[in-house]
Each structure stands twice: as structure tokens, then as C-alpha cells.
Amino acid sequence: METYDALLASISPVSGPTRTILDPATGAAVGEAPVHTLGYLEEVVAAAQAAQPAWAALGHEARSAALLKAADAVERSAEELARLLSREQGKPLNGPNARFEVGACVAWLRATATLALEPETIVDDGATYAELHYKPIGVVGAIGPWNWPMMIAIWQLAPALRMGNAVVVKPSGNTPLSVLALVKVLNEELPEGILAAVSCGREVGSRLTEHPAIGKIMFTGSTAAGRAIIKSSADTVKRLTLELGGNDAGIVLPDADPKAIAEDLFWGAFLNTGQTCAALKRLYVHEDIYDAVCTELTAVAAAMPMGNGLDENNVLGPLQNKQQYDVVANLVDAARRSGARILLGGNPDTDQPGYFYPTTLVADIDNDNPLVAEEQFGPALPIIRYSSVDDAIAKANALEVGLGASVWSSDLPAARAVAARIEAGTVWINKHGAVDPRIPFGGAKQSGYGLEFGVEGLKALGVPQVING
């Protein structure tokens, strides 16, 4: 285990171009990130190609053992990684934030390492015998976002490595240090060459998506960027797993208990200060309990402290970057001008440092308002009144995205019946955004395609091969 300063120094370049990474809470420098070149990308891809066959030949049991040791290494450096993540991304150490994210990396590595994937007997009727196997793809490119940089990197690289692939990770330019540090720690227990990180600009990133030696791209990010990756990967017919933008709806049925669900509604919407792809981003509440839900949710939200992530008391932090801050501020301002009612927040202190936007709840808002129709990706939740469940479902399904959704009710069969009618990859009941390494996760419509997590996620990192005879 290294100290925080030693860990940061170990990923700081000794030569070549760099970028200064700033703390979104204070504007202070966190550290220097390398700006890797096309030549560096070619080096790590070639090293991955060379190392991958031996890694694949080890077999599932040995690879799983290596991932378990890698999980131990992350656990040993957990506090240092969490502190770096908090400073670079902005999320607080406590609450479901930086320490939670690093802990989730450890848990996900261990869960992925212990998933069983056996050959499937497809036909065995005496005349025909056929088995389905999954072979490594080769080299996988993993492109991650800035909101959960470490955890999403693990979601991508853990199953890829488990299946016998080598991996080249490209972190977001906003949060490269966290991922570089994570990869450095993982490589303490992994064979040389099978895992590398490339901190680079758009030109080098584009080369990764079109590189002929990359057999698959895993990408988490915006729908627009996903479309660009589909195009750039087409000439080499790469396999793709795309987890793209979402604007998740939650529907509160009239029999729900407003006080009982208020805190879970809050964290469904404001986890990571709202900067989560599968966060609750538009809440539909039946008119019978609309005012009560607004009152209870406001009380919970008002009690949640926001501030610098290194302050142990805070559970909400800043937006990670100025661009996202402006998106949230502009959408809330437009909602206010339209006549929507601001229950809480909406009044940022522009004199303080950092990209802090206050926890904001907006009521009495039209469904076609931009704060409802566009993904805000920040701490502002619109609450829409409805009178007919059919109407709420139609509004929930009206957008072109469908990552997640939720239904809130005291009647479980009724909630499940509503959930089955919602067009989303995952529909939670009486919770929102709860992912599990055993349960497949993926989007519908323009929220992407392909599955992650669980056995289905492992299969997505392999090439199916049928042995017939």
C-alpha cells in the first residue's frame, strides 16, 4: 500500500505533454495527467496483443484467482484511491460516493471472478450433440465516463479480463487520474501487458475505436458519442456494448406511502449529486398524494449537506465540470421562467468557488418542459402530477431513451404490472438505480445495446463457438 502522495506521484508523467487536472470543488490543482500520443496507443495495443494468448491459456480458474488478488490490492489502497477520486471527480468521501465507489470496485471484482460460465449443451438427442462455448475476443477497448470513473472501469475491465481478453482503458479526460491510479494498483497483481490505460485526447480516442487490433469496444457515455463509436467501429466490424444516455422515469402509484419512500426517492435521483446515467430524472406522482410526496421529499433533500468532498460531513458535492453545471442551471432557469414552482434550491451561490449547484426540486411543471424532456444529469428533479396511470406510462415511454425506470407502490403485484409496460432495460420497484453484479443490465431504445453484469455480461465479452458432433 502506498501513501496518497506516492500513489499520485506514481501515475504522474516524468516526460511528455501533460494536462493539469483541477478539483471541481475548489479549482485547485489535483495533479498532472499524461496526454498520451498515437504512438503510445500503438505500443500498449501491441503489448496487449502479445500478452493476451498466455492470459487466455491460463483458464478461468487461474484468471479468477488473479482478479481476486487484484481486488485485494484495490482494498489495500482503498482510502488513497477514494481521496484521489473525491478530489478529481468532486464526490464526497462519505455517503454513497467515493469510499462507496472504491468499495464497489472491490466487491465487483470479487463477484465477477466467482461467476460460473460452463459450456452449454444445446442438443443431445442421441443423433446430434452440440455444445456452446465462449472464447476470448482478444483485445477489448474500454471507454469510460467521468461520473463513476473507477466503478465503470471495473464494470468493463473485470468481465473482459475474466473471459481471457486483454484490455486497453481510455478514461474520460475530466477524470483520468482516478482510472490511471486504479489501473496501476490492479497491475500490481496482474500479468504485464494485459491491462493498460491511455489518457488521451479525441484523436487518439478515435483511433482506439477504429483500431484493427481491437475486437470489441465497451462504452459508457452519451448517446451522441455512442453513435460516433458505432460509425468509427463499423469498418472493422467490432463487437460493441453501449450504455448510453438515459432520462429515467419514476412513477409513484396512488397507494404509495410518501413518507416511507421519500429517502429512497431522494437517493434514486440525487446519488452522486444526480450525475448517474440510471438516476431518477423525472418523477411522475399521482394527484392524490402529489402534495404529500413533494413535502416529504423536500424535507429529506433539505437535510442533506453539500460541500467539499473531503469534508467528512458532506454527502453531496459539486458538478464535475463547468459544462454540466451550465446544463443544469440553464434547465432550471427555463423551468422557472415557464411558471414551474421551485420547492427547494434553484439559487446557486455564484460567489463561492467550485461548481456547486444546490439540491433542487421543481413542482407543477409541464411534461414537455426541457427539464423533463432533456437529461439534466445533475441535482435538479422535476416532479410531474398525473391523474391516470395509463397517462403516466405513456409519458414515461414517450422519449427515445430507455435505460432504467421505477415504480413506487405498496401493492407489489400492481407495481410489477405497471413495470412490465415501461420501455426500459431495467425497471426497479420501490428503489431506483440499484445495480448488482449478478443481474444483467443494459438499455433499451437509444440508451444503447448489449448487456453487462452477471453471466450474460461474461458472454458479451466472448465469442460464441458451437462444437457440433
Side-chain angles (χ1 to χ4, degrees):
M1 183 183 73
E2 296 174 298
T3 65
Y4 172 84
D5 290 338
L7 180 61
L8 185 59
S10 72
I11 59 171
S12 299
V14 294
S15 62
T18 65
R19 289 175 53 246
T20 302
I21 303 300
L22 303 179
D23 184 334
T26 65
V30 178
E32 293 296 313
V35 180
H36 289 137
T37 63
L38 284 168
Y40 182 81
L41 174 65
E42 294 297 339
E43 289 177 15
V44 298
V45 170
Q49 280 186 290
Q52 186 271 331
W55 173 247
L58 289 175
H60 286 296
E61 185 174 344
R63 293 196 299 270
S64 292
L67 287 179
L68 291 172
K69 289 184 177 180
D72 293 342
V74 175
E75 192 168 51
R76 288 193 299 270
S77 296
E79 187 62 19
E80 292 72 29
L81 289 169
R83 183 179 171 195
L84 177 57
L85 175 62
S86 181
R87 293 196 64 206
E88 181 179 47
Q89 201 280 337
K91 63 184 66 183
L93 289 170
N94 289 326
N97 292 297
R99 289 180 177 130
F100 167 85
E101 180 168 348
V102 176
C105 290
V106 174
W108 220 276
L109 279 162
R110 289 173 176 158
T112 302
T114 53
L115 285 171
L117 179 58
E118 303 295 337
E120 300 173 40
T121 301
I122 305 302
V123 178
D124 184 9
D125 62 5
T128 300
Y129 181 82
E131 283 186 344
L132 178 60
H133 297 249
Y134 288 87
K135 304 295 185 182
I137 295 168
V139 182
V140 172
I143 303 174
W146 48 258
N147 57 334
W148 294 91
M150 290 187 183
M151 189 163 71
I152 291 177
I154 291 294
W155 289 357
Q156 296 171 333
L157 67 86
L161 293 172
R162 166 76 168 73
M163 290 299 291
N165 303 292
V167 183
V168 177
V169 177
K170 182 205 168 297
S172 165
N174 289 323
T175 52
L177 298 175
S178 300
V179 178
L180 289 168
L182 177 66
V183 168
K184 189 266 179 187
V185 170
L186 291 168
N187 276 332
E188 293 172 7
E189 298 290 351
L190 295 173
E192 185 176 355
I194 65 159
L195 176 63
V198 178
S199 171
C200 60
R202 183 168 297 179
E203 180 187 5
V204 178
S206 296
R207 175 60 178 164
L208 179 67
T209 64
E210 65 187 25
H211 199 294
I214 303 292
K216 173 159 185 162
I217 294 291
M218 301 187 75
F219 172 73
T220 297
S222 71
T223 298
R227 292 191 192 104
I229 288 172
I230 292 169
K231 293 175 182 177
S232 65
S233 66
D235 286 347
T236 49
V237 197
K238 295 190 195 312
R239 290 162 173 80
L240 298 174
T241 294
L242 304 175
E243 194 260 85
L244 307 179
N247 193 344
D248 288 13
I251 299 177
V252 180
L253 300 184
D255 64 2
D257 180 341
K259 189 174 185 65
I261 66 174
E263 187 165 348
D264 288 331
L265 282 173
F266 174 83
W267 285 117
F270 293 96
L271 178 69
N272 195 28
T273 316
Q275 300 166 107
T276 298
C277 296
L280 172 56
K281 298 190 174 82
R282 47 196 175 112
L283 182 63
Y284 296 90
V285 181
H286 192 272
E287 59 187 3
D288 289 353
I289 57 171
Y290 185 85
D291 290 338
V293 168
C294 288
T295 297
E296 297 294 344
L297 187 53
T298 300
V300 170
M304 297 293 180
M306 175 183 287
N308 190 310
L310 296 181
D311 183 331
E312 298 278 353
N313 296 311
N314 293 323
V315 295
L316 299 170
L319 277 300
Q320 200 285 322
N321 55 79
K322 179 64 162 57
Q323 180 180 0
Q324 199 57 45
Y325 176 95
D326 289 342
V327 168
V328 175
N330 290 337
L331 287 172
V332 173
D333 287 347
R336 180 188 288 109
R337 289 193 301 270
S338 75
R341 180 163 55 105
I342 308 297
L343 299 174
L344 182 72
N347 55 342
D349 180 359
T350 55
D351 293 330
Q352 71 169 341
Y355 303 128
F356 289 97
Y357 196 90
T359 306
T360 300
L361 298 172
V362 182
D364 300 333
I365 186 169
D366 293 334
N367 192 62
D368 59 357
N369 190 284
L371 182 59
V372 180
E374 300 175 18
E375 184 181 24
Q376 69 276 50
F377 214 73
L381 178 67
I383 309 171
I384 306 99
R385 189 190 308 261
Y386 77 88
S387 57
S388 159
V389 173
D390 287 343
D391 180 54
I393 293 170
K395 288 175 177 175
N397 290 339
L399 301 183
E400 71 278 6
V401 290
L403 187 57
S406 56
V407 181
W408 304 76
S409 173
S410 300
D411 184 340
L412 193 55
R416 286 175 174 158
V418 172
R421 298 173 60 191
I422 297 177
E423 297 167 358
T426 299
V427 183
W428 292 277
I429 295 175
N430 294 328
K431 56 189 174 183
H432 196 109
V435 292
D436 186 309
R438 302 165 298 177
I439 301 173
F441 179 76
K445 300 191 281 190
Q446 292 192 34
S447 288
Y449 48 73
L451 289 172
E452 299 177 271
F453 314 162
V455 173
E456 295 303 318
L458 291 182
K459 291 178 180 179
L461 272 304
V463 178
Q465 180 187 54
V466 173
I467 297 178
N468 189 336

